[in-house]
Amino acid sequence: MGIKLVFLFLSFFATGKLVISLSLTSAYDKLSEDGKLNFTGIAAKYGYAYEQYEITTEDGYILTMFRIPGDADKPVLLVHGNTVTSDCYIIRGNESLALTLARKGYDVWTINLRGTRYSRSHVTLDPDTQPDQFFNYSFYELAIYDMPVTIDFILQETGQSELIAFGHSMGTTLFYVLGSEKPEYNDKIKLCISLAPICFLEHITGLASTPAKFAAELNLLGIATDTQELLSYSVTTPILQALCLQPTGYAVCIQGVLFYLFGYDSAGLEEEFMYTLFGHFPGGTTRKIFDHLGQVYNRNVFAKYDYGTAGNLIAYNSTEPPEFDLSKVKMKSVLIVGQEDFLARDADVQRLNASLPNVAEYLVLPYENFNHVDFIWGNNMTNNFYPYVFEVLENYT
């Protein structure tokens, strides 16, 4: 018996990598065509021209931006949230927000924030050999470095002085930080449409509330294990394909996890879409971003990253991190929330609404099951979301 166990043990180490590789390959084969295509591949499949650019931030990160050309007088910037990429705006094909805007004649631009699937490069830093330096950023750096170079590049290419912006989830957070820290950019945004706005997090519910409460402890665990990058596309996405693209995958991964995180809407995220989704999700993030969001939740203030008393004295000359001054965010804003959203809760967004000086409209979508990800992945956006979006665009631009 002992000899058999030793044989099995040795056999595992000899063949384990091959078995895992075969399993991941088999899972990848189950993806839909759109699940296997990247952003530009999906655009081409549905008959749209595209352009791809690389832009470099002030602190050296190389960002990939995709464009679906339209009327250069009507540039629109789409900014994705945490753990996803610009793919989130196109993986619904013809019903996606990117292609719907393109059909309406808008000049559509989508950015991929630093460290994610398409923007994992730097002029000097290597994310694989220098992760401590490469992934040392929270949403603050995304806002003050990634956003300005993106906006300026689009305005230069189109010859415009302002653009329309969409943000989803943490993608909205970046505009509040940008408007506060670099107020000159308020004048470069004609209208900012915030989908599932994330600023204050006091009332979040569902599965995310537990790790948020213990964000400090989880961050210490990440430091102890030298973990900087989280949910990377190259590592995590194939694993999720192997786990979730199984007969029980929808019940386990979607109904048992994603709905507990984002809100329940089986009509919005149906089983068939899973075979596209897990070709693109997740797209990568950092431990520090999650820690910063956890600080916002636990301190109940929208402030810069908390380095602790000693670190704050060095960074801010103060024992507490400074709060962002939302009164400086003077860009015209529209806030749109879903009734079943576990993360962008109405009570928290109402607090944001009261803090911003130029909110043109606050809209709660009437579809009662509209959750956090229905804004980007929803199955019926054409009926329960887009009519309100294009009414807003018509009214305020």
Side-chain angles (χ1 to χ4, degrees):
M1 182 67 173
I3 294 175
K4 289 182 179 179
L5 287 174
V6 171
F7 176 76
L8 289 172
F9 185 78
L10 294 174
S11 296
F12 172 78
F13 278 94
T15 63
K17 289 185 178 180
L18 176 60
V19 171
I20 292 171
S21 177
L22 289 173
S23 176
L24 296 181
T25 300
S26 176
Y28 177 83
D29 290 341
K30 296 178 182 178
L31 290 172
S32 68
E33 181 182 4
D34 288 5
K36 296 176 182 178
L37 295 173
N38 62 10
F39 185 99
T40 57
I42 294 175
K45 173 185 172 180
Y46 289 95
Y48 291 84
Y50 62 83
E51 297 171 0
Q52 180 173 330
Y53 302 88
E54 287 188 345
I55 55 178
T56 304
T57 67
E58 182 182 334
D59 58 344
Y61 287 84
I62 302 170
L63 312 179
T64 297
M65 185 186 301
F66 300 123
R67 178 189 191 183
I68 302 175
D71 184 348
D73 292 337
K74 298 164 61 178
V76 175
L77 168 63
L78 305 180
V79 182
H80 65 80
N82 194 23
T83 76
V84 295
T85 69
S86 64
D87 290 355
C88 72
Y89 287 115
I90 201 170
I91 59 174
R92 274 293 181 181
N94 275 325
E95 287 197 1
S96 65
L97 181 58
L99 298 190
T100 300
L101 286 166
R103 279 198 303 278
K104 298 282 187 177
Y106 290 93
D107 191 24
V108 180
W109 298 75
T110 64
I111 187 59
N112 293 279
L113 300 168
R114 63 180 63 192
T116 57
R117 174 186 182 183
Y118 300 109
S119 299
R120 208 170 174 272
S121 300
H122 191 277
V123 294
T124 59
L125 300 175
D126 186 317
D128 297 315
T129 61
Q130 299 169 290
D132 288 2
Q133 299 173 65
F134 185 93
F135 294 106
N136 183 26
Y137 56 84
S138 74
F139 62 73
Y140 176 76
E141 285 77 16
L142 304 181
I144 67 164
Y145 293 123
D146 293 14
M147 296 299 291
V149 70
T150 298
I151 292 169
D152 289 342
F153 183 85
I154 294 171
L155 297 181
Q156 178 180 340
E157 288 294 309
T158 59
Q160 302 300 305
S161 61
E162 56 184 0
L163 54 75
I164 299 167
F166 281 81
H168 173 253
S169 190
M170 194 193 70
T172 69
T173 313
L174 308 187
F175 288 103
Y176 314 141
V177 176
L178 177 67
S180 170
E181 294 293 293
K182 293 180 176 288
E184 65 272 20
Y185 279 88
N186 286 295
D187 294 330
K188 298 184 180 185
I189 299 173
K190 179 185 296 186
L191 179 68
C192 180
I193 300 178
S194 292
L195 311 175
I198 294 294
C199 182
F200 302 107
L201 297 171
E202 180 182 3
H203 297 92
I204 65 171
T205 187
L207 191 60
S209 61
T210 299
K213 291 176 184 176
F214 297 100
E217 291 79 5
L218 292 171
N219 187 55
L220 289 175
L221 177 62
I223 293 173
T225 57
D226 197 26
T227 301
Q228 312 301 332
E229 182 181 17
L230 295 175
L231 302 175
S232 72
Y233 177 79
S234 62
V235 175
T236 311
T237 305
I239 293 173
L240 287 182
Q241 290 168 12
L243 292 173
C244 300
L245 303 185
Q246 305 295 334
T248 59
Y250 185 75
V252 173
C253 298
I254 305 298
Q255 295 176 321
V257 178
L258 290 190
F259 285 167
Y260 275 92
L261 280 170
F262 301 129
Y264 297 92
D265 186 11
S266 56
L269 206 169
E270 75 284 12
E271 184 171 1
E272 182 182 358
F273 183 63
M274 183 174 66
Y275 296 91
T276 296
L277 173 63
F278 287 115
H280 302 269
F281 172 79
T285 185
T286 71
R287 169 181 54 80
K288 193 172 182 180
I289 286 177
F290 275 118
D291 189 40
H292 198 174
L293 291 169
Q295 292 175 3
V296 172
Y297 172 82
N298 286 295
R299 297 180 69 243
N300 199 22
V301 291
F302 187 50
K304 295 183 181 181
Y305 190 82
D306 189 351
Y307 292 99
T309 301
N312 291 337
L313 285 170
I314 295 171
Y316 313 122
N317 197 29
S318 169
T319 58
E320 296 288 332
E323 294 186 40
F324 295 111
D325 187 353
L326 293 175
S327 69
K328 293 181 178 179
V329 186
K330 296 183 179 180
M331 65 187 76
K332 184 180 292 184
S333 300
V334 172
L335 309 178
I336 307 180
V337 299
Q339 297 183 48
E340 184 68 4
D341 192 333
F342 284 2
L343 300 182
R345 305 296 289 168
D346 182 62
D348 291 327
V349 184
Q350 287 285 9
R351 181 179 170 188
L352 171 64
N353 183 32
S355 302
L356 295 175
N358 193 14
V359 176
E361 189 167 343
Y362 182 96
L363 177 62
V364 179
L365 295 174
Y367 173 52
E368 62 181 12
N369 292 326
F370 207 93
N371 70 14
H372 193 72
V373 293
D374 279 337
F375 290 98
I376 52 174
W377 298 338
N379 184 35
N380 196 26
M381 292 184 287
T382 299
N383 295 316
N384 59 26
F385 175 37
Y386 293 152
Y388 307 98
V389 167
F390 287 104
E391 183 178 357
V392 162
L393 288 171
E394 182 177 347
N395 288 342
Y396 301 109
T397 63

